[in-house]
Amino acid sequence: MEENRKTTEALSARKGALAIGLDMGTTHIKACLTDADGNVLAVSETDNEQHATEKYGKCFLPEELFEKAVRCIRQVAREEVCAIGITSMAEAGVFLDASDRPLLPVIPWSGGRGACLLPPRLLGEALYRKTGLIWHPKYTVNRILTLRKEEPELYERIRLFLSVSDYILYRLTGTAATDESLACRTGMYDIESREYWREMTEYAGMTGKLPRVQKEGEPWPVLSEEGARKLGLSGKISVRVCGHDHLCAAWGEGLEEGAALNSMGTSEVYTGWLDDLRLNRDFYERGIQQGRFGGRCYWMCNLPSSGASVEWFRGLLSFTGEEKISYERLLSEKGKRPSPVLYFPFINGVGTHRNPELSRMGGFLGIGPETGRGELLQAIYEGIAMESRWILDRLEEAGIRTETIRTVGGGTKNRQLMQAKADITGRSWLISSLTQATAAGAAMLAAGFPAQEKRKGTPVSADGSLREAYEEKYRTYRQQIAEWR
């Protein structure tokens, strides 16, 4: 630990030191060049394309992911770079065989819709008290069990599973390692003992086939000669898996104790720090997940159909073979507030609601011949906001309350959505001034740059004149969900 502390201090103290954060997201891949004060100096971005496959639906191709990551890093690289930090989508990953060849494409988290294959003894509160997770088909362990059931010959060839971040690290350094926050999302990591859960790894047949979990203070590897050549860099440049993308955003944002961060993308997450784990029935029943990140404990709730709902509707407005309607055109659509239509945002699953049956109930209620695009779009914003309120209510019941919520991510650019959140939750939202919080957080973590104080932001407050109307609509929304349950 002492050696790593000195290395970190040396990196931070290097005159003019810079770091690169690589964000391997579901929709985009971004590389961000950051200085020691957390200033973003350059950004490179490319679309992350999914490809149709016969067996697994739309997936990412491992080699394409790596090539795009390399191109993005090269475009922002400078001689002064001392470290590279990698963050990514949490549950998806790459299965390698004995020759380091990928056995199948990378199935995105939204592609996890299989039946539960865990035995009762490893489910429910037993799973929660070990992993901090509430079962969902997206978690790595269930994908492994599905592979064992449906393609046993392929399953037998697994030598190693790596998350997307771990895979990029492996290709750049030759080291198979991960951080705790990504290990937490496999469903095979015991967050109290801080080791892989042996009973689970043995049941899944994955003992010895998972990357080593780096502990605080352990040095991360440096670029291999081949990795340095690919990136056009030289010198001993440290490469670190920085973890779950939303948690890197919280760190980059300088999220303080007792505060909440809303990270908005294809999926939407609410997260914050805990002074210690609370693996009890109170948290479990409310769907509040927990884990570890950078020596801290965190709570997390999610809404998987946030940006995905807007993107889905955008696709509906476009004809096959034509380019999708622009975001500028989409966001210019205006509808009544509140919208006369109810929208239930469950197209990518239900998240904190826990009841997977609700995913079949997603969609619109209350459409009539007079309903226009503006009303439908406004209903989508309000549905996302009502799910946000439902999550915040569950958190408050568990003793987690915050009046102001800091928010980051691409969804913050949609001011109609942000206003709906403020109006329906009755809370203030602070839109971050940092446009690349996730990648910047990863860069700063990798280089050992000090965390910034909480950043300034643009506030969004509720329109008091709509309070009663939205209270009535929220009651209707909750009643409908209660009937479906």
Side-chain angles (χ1 to χ4, degrees):
M1 288 185 66
E2 178 65 19
E3 179 183 353
N4 185 66
R5 182 184 65 79
K6 290 180 179 178
T7 301
T8 298
E9 289 176 351
L11 286 172
S12 299
R14 187 185 301 174
K15 185 178 180 180
L18 304 175
I20 294 174
L22 179 67
D23 179 9
M24 303 293 295
T26 305
T27 307
H28 299 100
I29 295 173
K30 302 175 184 178
C32 172
L33 183 70
T34 305
D35 67 16
D37 295 321
N39 298 310
V40 176
L41 307 180
V43 177
S44 173
E45 179 177 333
T46 187
D47 290 341
N48 201 2
E49 297 177 74
Q50 296 185 34
H51 300 270
T53 66
E54 184 176 345
K55 292 183 178 179
Y56 313 107
K58 289 187 175 181
C59 299
F60 303 109
L61 305 181
E63 186 62 30
E64 183 176 272
L65 285 175
F66 179 67
E67 290 174 355
K68 289 186 173 184
V70 167
R71 286 201 299 271
C72 284
I73 292 174
R74 287 186 68 97
Q75 287 171 9
V76 299
R78 304 288 187 275
E79 289 183 4
E80 299 86 356
V81 168
C82 64
I84 298 171
I86 310 166
T87 180
S88 69
M89 55 188 101
E91 299 82 15
V94 181
F95 293 95
L96 297 178
D97 66 10
S99 300
D100 277 353
R101 291 189 296 262
L103 288 167
L104 66 162
V106 177
I107 304 170
W109 61 266
S110 56
R113 296 184 182 274
C116 179
L117 299 176
L118 289 173
R121 74 175 191 277
L122 300 178
L123 272 174
E125 283 193 73
L127 178 68
Y128 187 71
R129 290 183 183 276
K130 283 288 188 180
T131 67
L133 300 178
I134 294 162
W135 184 85
H136 190 280
K138 70 181 178 181
Y139 294 125
T140 309
V141 66
N142 207 68
R143 297 197 175 173
I144 291 166
L145 296 174
T146 300
L147 194 63
R148 182 170 70 183
K149 178 183 178 182
E150 298 179 356
E151 299 183 74
E153 292 183 4
L154 200 61
Y155 165 84
E156 291 296 334
R157 292 168 56 195
I158 297 174
R159 180 186 71 84
L160 182 65
F161 170 81
L162 298 170
S163 77
V164 171
S165 287
D166 307 339
Y167 179 66
I168 302 300
L169 177 85
Y170 189 62
R171 293 290 301 272
L172 292 177
T173 70
T175 298
T178 192
D179 90 309
E180 279 196 294
S181 68
L182 291 179
C184 286
R185 306 299 284 187
T186 63
M188 295 179 281
Y189 188 72
D190 184 335
I191 61 176
E192 287 209 287
S193 70
R194 305 181 76 174
E195 297 177 343
Y196 286 116
W197 182 10
R198 179 166 290 276
E199 185 177 7
M200 184 66 86
T201 60
E202 287 180 351
Y203 181 80
M206 291 299 290
T207 301
K209 298 181 180 181
L210 298 167
R212 181 171 60 87
V213 180
Q214 293 277 112
K215 304 299 183 184
E216 291 98 293
E218 292 182 341
W220 286 87
V222 297
L223 280 176
S224 65
E225 289 186 10
E226 182 181 0
R229 179 181 56 78
K230 285 181 178 294
L231 300 182
L233 293 168
S234 60
K236 292 186 176 181
I237 297 173
S238 173
V239 187
R240 171 176 174 172
V241 172
C242 295
H244 194 302
D245 49 5
H246 298 300
L247 296 168
C248 282
W251 200 91
E253 187 62 22
L255 189 69
E256 64 270 28
E257 299 290 338
L261 180 83
N262 174 214
S263 181
M264 298 174 63
T266 304
S267 175
E268 186 170 316
V269 158
Y270 291 82
T271 192
W273 311 123
L274 289 170
D275 52 5
D276 200 0
L277 296 172
R278 303 182 195 176
L279 300 171
N280 53 48
R281 178 175 286 268
D282 195 35
F283 272 50
Y284 170 71
E285 291 293 343
R286 288 172 173 79
I288 304 170
Q289 303 193 62
Q290 298 175 62
R292 293 185 183 272
F293 170 80
R296 285 173 148 172
C297 302
Y298 66 84
W299 59 263
M300 183 177 290
C301 295
N302 70 312
L303 197 171
S305 303
S306 177
S309 292
V310 178
E311 191 64 25
W312 164 73
F313 189 69
R314 181 178 169 227
L316 288 183
L317 298 180
S318 309
F319 289 101
T320 303
E322 296 182 3
E323 287 188 15
K324 287 185 178 180
I325 184 174
S326 69
Y327 283 109
E328 291 76 12
R329 177 72 181 88
L330 185 73
L331 299 181
S332 70
E333 292 286 346
K334 306 292 182 183
K336 296 177 183 177
R337 299 172 52 217
S339 171
V341 178
L342 276 171
Y343 173 70
F344 299 87
F346 303 141
I347 59 171
N348 268 352
V350 295
T352 298
H353 266 295
R354 293 180 49 196
N355 182 358
E357 291 300 311
L358 285 178
S359 62
R360 298 187 294 109
M361 310 299 183
F364 296 104
L365 282 180
I367 295 176
E370 71 286 353
T371 304
R373 288 191 298 258
E375 280 70 43
L376 292 176
L377 196 55
Q378 182 64 27
I380 289 175
Y381 301 152
E382 292 171 1
I384 294 168
M386 282 187 274
E387 273 299 289
S388 296
R389 176 167 172 179
W390 192 91
I391 288 171
L392 294 172
D393 286 349
R394 302 290 78 70
L395 289 167
E396 186 171 357
E397 290 170 0
I400 299 172
R401 167 81 185 183
T402 180
E403 290 298 333
T404 301
I405 300 158
R406 304 184 67 81
T407 183
V408 300
T412 62
K413 298 175 184 177
N414 187 334
R415 295 310 170 94
Q416 294 177 70
L417 172 56
M418 295 309 303
Q419 188 61 55
K421 284 190 171 189
D423 291 339
I424 290 169
T425 65
R427 305 193 192 194
S428 295
W429 298 74
L430 197 65
I431 300 174
S432 173
S433 60
L434 184 61
T435 57
Q436 304 295 340
T438 300
M444 294 165 67
L445 276 167
F449 295 156
Q452 303 299 295
E453 295 182 0
K454 61 181 182 180
R455 298 179 183 272
K456 295 180 180 179
T458 303
V460 182
S461 300
D463 181 347
S465 68
L466 297 173
R467 180 177 179 181
E468 290 187 12
Y470 275 126
E471 284 294 322
E472 178 60 30
K473 186 166 187 178
Y474 182 58
R475 281 194 292 270
T476 303
Y477 181 85
R478 289 191 60 177
Q479 288 168 2
Q480 183 61 65
I481 287 179
E483 290 180 16
W484 285 335
R485 281 177 175 273

